[in-house]
Amino acid sequence: MSGPFLAGVVAGYGVAIPVGAIAVLIASLSARTSLRVGAAAGLGAATADGIYALLAVLGGAALAGLVAPIAVPLRWAAAAVLLALAGHTAWTALRPRRSDGPARSAETTALRAYLGILGLTLLNPATVVYFAALVLGRGGSGGGVMFVLGAFAASASWQLLIAGGGSLAGRVLTGERARLVTALVSSVVIAVLAIQIL
């Protein structure tokens, strides 16, 4: 393996491993729906990390400078979206179930999960600053494509692990009451993490 690829792997894990609202959301989606939907959501987060790694390689310092003035509004937007998701998750869990149809969470498709988490993860400007600092710290040396691939691979592997864990939790907690409790706990955790963003 090349040095830039390994540097990208380390950078990808560095940005992906800290458990935040996105990780909780991926695990919760996977637990409430399916591994397929959770994996798609995880790949959405990994794609955003890959995009930001690519942007950092292409012009990280300039991009970080452009993002800095709008970092606060982006943080507010991310917090608002997360609070809306927390509210929607709680509302879906608490509303009465129709006996003649599937639960509402079954309507979440893999594509919707992928695009939703991709968009939400792209609202985090700190990621591009993180990758830009790493790229500049490496002296902008060659291997940009390998760095991006390493970052994406690491992030994807971590996000898929989170989705798998959520899916296992969903299988263990198959009862209606357990699903209600996990959905409400997930909503509270996402709301707290959204408030911490601010």
Side-chain angles (χ1 to χ4, degrees):
M1 283 198 210
S2 70
F5 181 81
L6 290 177
V9 167
V10 171
Y13 280 129
V15 79
I17 287 178
V19 175
I22 297 295
V24 172
L25 194 53
I26 291 167
S28 173
L29 266 172
S30 192
R32 288 178 300 142
T33 57
S34 68
L35 178 58
R36 182 173 175 254
V37 170
L43 290 175
T47 300
D49 290 345
I51 289 170
Y52 274 148
L54 178 63
L55 291 175
V57 165
L58 294 177
L63 187 60
L66 291 173
V67 169
I70 61 168
V72 172
L74 286 176
R75 226 181 353 255
W76 278 94
V81 169
L82 287 170
L83 287 171
L85 286 171
H88 177 71
T89 300
W91 178 78
T92 301
L94 290 172
R95 74 179 193 174
R97 302 267 189 249
R98 293 184 316 171
S99 59
D100 61 339
R104 177 117 171 117
S105 62
E107 295 176 10
T108 302
T109 66
L111 180 60
R112 282 185 189 160
Y114 174 83
L115 294 174
I117 297 297
L118 171 64
L120 190 54
T121 307
L122 286 174
L123 286 174
N124 183 4
T127 306
V128 75
V129 173
Y130 167 81
F131 282 124
L134 290 175
V135 168
L136 293 174
R138 290 176 49 234
S141 57
V145 171
M146 295 307 291
F147 178 85
V148 172
L149 289 175
F152 173 78
S155 179
S157 68
W158 182 257
Q159 306 302 346
L160 291 174
L161 180 68
I162 288 172
S167 181
L168 286 175
R171 287 189 185 141
V172 170
L173 304 170
T174 56
E176 201 58 39
R177 173 168 269 158
R179 288 201 181 262
L180 172 67
V181 169
T182 57
L184 292 177
V185 168
S186 171
S187 296
V188 170
V189 170
I190 291 170
V192 167
L193 291 169
I195 292 167
Q196 286 180 341
I197 288 174
L198 301 175

